[in-house]
Amino acid sequence: MTAIFQRIDTVFVPTRDIDKAFKWYTDILGGVPGWKGDEGEYQSVKFGDTSITLFLTDEDVYFQPRRSAFNFYVADAESAYEHLKSNGVQVEELKEYGARYFAFYDLDGNCLEVCEY
């Protein structure tokens, strides 16, 4: 059977300040600018073949505490951990359980994760 779904196209991440979030995702995480909505309500940031689509909202339902639905793959979790920490990013403990991983938070409190295996 041929796969219907070819890849994850984008992951939507809410933000209250799209310009600030875009700068954070590109400057701190090293994402590459992608497409931008005509009215500035959406901004894509690419990481390899997958993108994150930042979307502007002030609806509290999008900012409820939750764990990440995805993770960033890295070749060296400790280096990524130290990079984020040195840039003032809130990070949780670096753990190991079959892989090395940790959670961190963006400017809007969205939980993101890193994984090395």
Side-chain angles (χ1 to χ4, degrees), residues 20-51:
K20 201 172 182 181
F22 174 74
K23 184 169 175 40
W24 189 85
Y25 275 83
T26 55
D27 290 356
I28 304 299
L29 300 189
V32 176
W35 63 272
K36 186 174 186 174
D38 292 339
E39 297 176 26
E41 73 282 24
Y42 293 98
Q43 174 66 61
S44 169
V45 181
K46 296 194 241 179
F47 295 90
D49 291 336
T50 304
S51 64

Side-chain angles (χ1 to χ4, degrees), residues 18-78:
I18 203 156
D19 294 326
K20 201 172 182 181
F22 174 74
K23 184 169 175 40
W24 189 85
Y25 275 83
T26 55
D27 290 356
I28 304 299
L29 300 189
V32 176
W35 63 272
K36 186 174 186 174
D38 292 339
E39 297 176 26
E41 73 282 24
Y42 293 98
Q43 174 66 61
S44 169
V45 181
K46 296 194 241 179
F47 295 90
D49 291 336
T50 304
S51 64
I52 287 178
T53 299
L54 302 168
F55 69 97
L56 186 62
T57 184
D58 60 0
E59 294 182 40
D60 288 337
V61 68
Y62 289 107
F63 299 101
Q64 299 300 315
R66 63 190 176 279
R67 295 308 292 179
S68 177
F70 67 95
N71 64 25
F72 290 97
Y73 172 79
V74 296
D76 184 348
E78 191 164 340

